[in-house]
Amino acid sequence: MPMGRMTLSKFLIENVGGTRDGAALAALLVDVAAAVKAIAALCSKGALSGATGSLDSINVQGETQKPLDVLSNNEFVNVFQMGGLVAGLASEEMDDPIPIEAPNRRGPFLAVFDPLDGSSNIDVNVSVGSIFSILHAPESGDTVAGDYLQPGQRQVAAGYALYGPATLMVLTVGSGTHGFTLDREVGNFVLTHPDIQIPADTSEFAINTSNERFWEPPVTRYVSECKAGKTGPRERDFNMRWIASMVAEVHRILMRGGIFMYPRDTKDPSKPGRLRLLYEANPMSFLVEQAGGVSSTGRERLLDLVPSQIHQRVPVILGSRNEVERLVRYHAEYDTGTDKPYESPLFSERGLYRS
Ligand code: AHG
Ligand code: MN
Ligand code: MN
C-alpha cells in the first residue's frame, strides 16, 4: 500500500495490536475519529448550521458556552458511551466525569477531552480543534474522579483534531507522533504526516502579549530578548504568532517548529495558568515529546505533574527543544537570583524613551 493510502484504521491495527488492550485501543481511536468527522462536518457548515453565537449556559470553568461546544461534547459523549471501550469519560464542558453504567458496556480505558478548543474563533471562521487523552481505567469496580488524576506520562494515547482548511487528526500511542488528513469525499483519515519531528531550533514564538503585565520576570526576559531581535542578546530576528486556538498553535509547531507559552501569571491569583492539565496540557505535551520537543511548566516537566483536580489549570511552555530549555533555564536563574533581565537599549540610560 503506498504511504499516501495508509488509513487510520490500518495504521492502528498495525501499531497498537500487540500492546495491552491494543485491539480495544485501536477500536476506541476509530470511534474518536467518527466523532471528529461529525464535528468537522458541523464546523464546516459555519453560520449555515444555525449553531453560531453564544448560549446562556456557563461551564464549570466559568466560560460562556457556544452551541458548538455543546454539540461537539455530545458527539464525544455519544461515541464513548455507546462504544463499549471506556469505563468513564471527563470533559471540559462537564462539571463531573460520567461513569459508564449498564446497559452500556464498560471498556478498559478512560477518555478525557476538550471537545472544541479555541471556541472564541468559531464565529470568525478561524481554525478550531478537539483534544483528547486516553488513560487506563482501574481493573475493576466503579470509576471515581480520582481515577482520572494520573500524571500525563501514564497516558496510553493522545491526540487532537484540527478543523482548518483541511481536517487533520494528529495522534500518538507512545511510538511517535503521526498526522492523518481527512479525505472528505471518501470519509477516510489517511496518513499524510508520519513520524513528525519538531525542529530543535526556531525563530517563532507564540504568546498572548496582552497579558505581559501579569507575567513572571523570566517570561518577560525571554520575550523581550526575542522582540529585540538582531539588536538584542539573541542576535537574530524572531517572528510572533497568536491564533488563540491551542490546537492550531501546536499544529504549526509540529509542522515547522516554534515555542508556545501560556505561562503562569498573576491575572487571576486563583488560577496558576490558563490551560487545563488533563485535557489540554497533558495530551499536547505527550504529542510534543513524541515529536522530539519539550513541554514544561517552566519549572518541571509537564508530564510528571500529579493532578489534584479534573479541571486543574497549569502553566504551559512547549515546542522546539532549545527554546523551551532556554526559558526553563531563565526560570531557574530567576528562582536562584542569578538571572540577568534584559533591558532594551530604547529604555536604557542613553535610550530614546528614557523616563
Ligand atoms: P477553549 O476554547 O477550549 O476554552 O480553549 C481556549 C484556550 C486555548 O486554545 C488558547 O490557547 C487560549 O485558550 C486562548 O486564550 P486567550 O483568550 O487568552 O488568547
Ligand atoms: Mn481548549
Ligand atoms: Mn474547549
Side-chain angles (χ1 to χ4, degrees), residues 266-310:
T266 56
K267 195 171 185 177
D268 177 348
S270 70
K271 295 174 185 164
R274 164 84 172 85
L275 298 168
R276 279 58 56 111
L277 173 58
L278 286 189
Y279 42 80
E280 292 178 320
N282 271 344
M284 291 311 204
S285 301
F286 192 15
L287 290 162
V288 163
E289 283 200 2
Q290 286 291 318
V294 178
S295 182
S296 169
T297 63
R299 295 185 167 89
E300 56 207 316
R301 180 184 176 225
L302 220 142
L303 292 178
D304 286 340
L305 290 185
V306 180
S308 56
Q309 287 171 41
I310 299 265

Side-chain angles (χ1 to χ4, degrees), residues 4-21:
R5 299 318 298 175
M6 170 68 89
T7 62
L8 175 65
S9 315
K10 183 165 192 291
F11 174 90
L12 291 171
I13 290 164
E14 287 185 2
N15 285 276
V16 299
T19 59
R20 175 179 160 195
D21 294 318

Side-chain angles (χ1 to χ4, degrees), residues 69 92-93 114-119 276 280:
D69 285 323
E92 173 184 319
E93 301 302 337
D114 174 357
L116 206 66
D117 173 69
S119 45
R276 279 58 56 111
E280 292 178 320

Side-chain angles (χ1 to χ4, degrees), residues 198-199 201-202 204-205 253 256-260 318-320 323-324:
I198 302 176
D201 288 300
T202 182
E204 206 162 59
F205 66 98
I253 288 170
R256 67 180 191 208
I259 176 169
F260 170 90
L318 58 76
S320 292
E323 290 304 308
V324 177

